[in-house]
Amino acid sequence: MNLPIRPRRNRRTPAIRALVRENVLTPADFILPVFLHEDATDTPIASMPGVTRWSLEGLVKEAGEAHALGVPAVVLFPKIEENLKSARGEESANDDGLVPRAIRALKAAYPALCVITDVALDPYSSDGHDGVVERDARGELRILNDETVEILCRQALCHARAGADIVSPSDMMDGRIGALRTALDGAGFQDISIMSYSAKYASAFYGPFRGALESAPKEGDKKTYQMDPGNAREAIRETLIDEAEGADIVMVKPAGPYLDIISRVRDCTQLPVAAYQVSGEYLMIESAAAAGWVDGRAVALEALTGIKRAGADMILTYYAKRAAGWLR
Ligand code: PBG
């Protein structure tokens, strides 16, 4: 053939492919979500094979290992004892609670590690919702927005006092970013960042995570606050609102099934964009790999590359530590 243009030339050798590669994963892209509990033992999580619920000591060790591999940040998810849960989740603002103690332990051991906290009520809520639940006259559940935001502010201040670098509201209440910024600034925490779960969808992919924390809603679902999977423009709207209210980083969640959203959010803001490869995405890869159907390592790295290529500057992933090791 007389073909002056042959794109395959740019794929001919590993060296040329390395030169023309547009997106490269590095351990610095990853944020490791870590589960913790009050026990002194480290327990495998039944609903999330390959993931552990750590004691404080185990958590510090795990975070240290991830950090040593180049992972800059962890985000903390506590499993709260049933007897500490309540309708308004008061335990979420307890300065001696599990999360503040974990923050202090992590910052003492690894001052350079970025410690991110999840700001939401569900692990603390006896109703398993991200907000305060009220039953209306007809018996329908309502999630109270403004009351919840007040509690989230107390929770974020508690995390800031303990030394968190970034607070990350995952609740999807309206107005929480502005309220959190005002509360943090008012208490002298101007330097604490807010990573907002801006476009968080009401997703079945969170199922295994809720098992891990025993935080599933006791009744109803999260569709009155988390977004409808059919919507894309609404993600832009949520992102722009959070940017205007003072978010430092915006997030799309889940990641893999929402690559178009990551891409559109990337184009609508100059803020850094995070994406969360959630528990269900992780387990689809892990279970297929365990069955011998796919090469788990290759598929995981490809899925993460796809998320980065779509426009994510950082990725929350249960693969963070393992993938950092693979990339070495
Ligand atoms: C709740 C929260 C959820 C996840 C992170 N924070 C679950 C939910 O919204 O029900 C899901 C993470 C995952 O599935 O890996 N505030």
Side-chain angles (χ1 to χ4, degrees), residues 115 117 156-157 159-161 163-168 180-181 184-185 188-195 246 248:
V115 175
T117 59
L157 287 174
H159 297 169
R161 280 192 295 272
D165 295 288
I166 302 180
V167 293
S168 192
L180 285 173
R181 190 67 272 161
L184 288 166
D185 290 356
F189 294 115
Q190 288 87 352
D191 292 338
I192 305 300
S193 311
I194 300 175
M195 176 166 78
D248 299 285

Side-chain angles (χ1 to χ4, degrees), residues 276-313:
Y276 197 145
Q277 183 189 51
V278 301
S279 54
E281 298 176 72
Y282 165 79
L283 283 168
M284 287 200 308
I285 299 173
E286 284 298 284
S287 53
W293 292 328
V294 298
D295 173 343
R297 170 177 167 161
V299 167
L301 288 173
E302 185 175 331
L304 292 166
T305 301
I307 294 165
K308 183 164 184 184
R309 189 191 62 241
D313 298 291

Side-chain angles (χ1 to χ4, degrees), residues 1-9:
M1 283 195 284
N2 174 19
L3 267 184
I5 297 173
R6 290 182 182 266
R8 286 185 56 195
R9 278 194 289 271

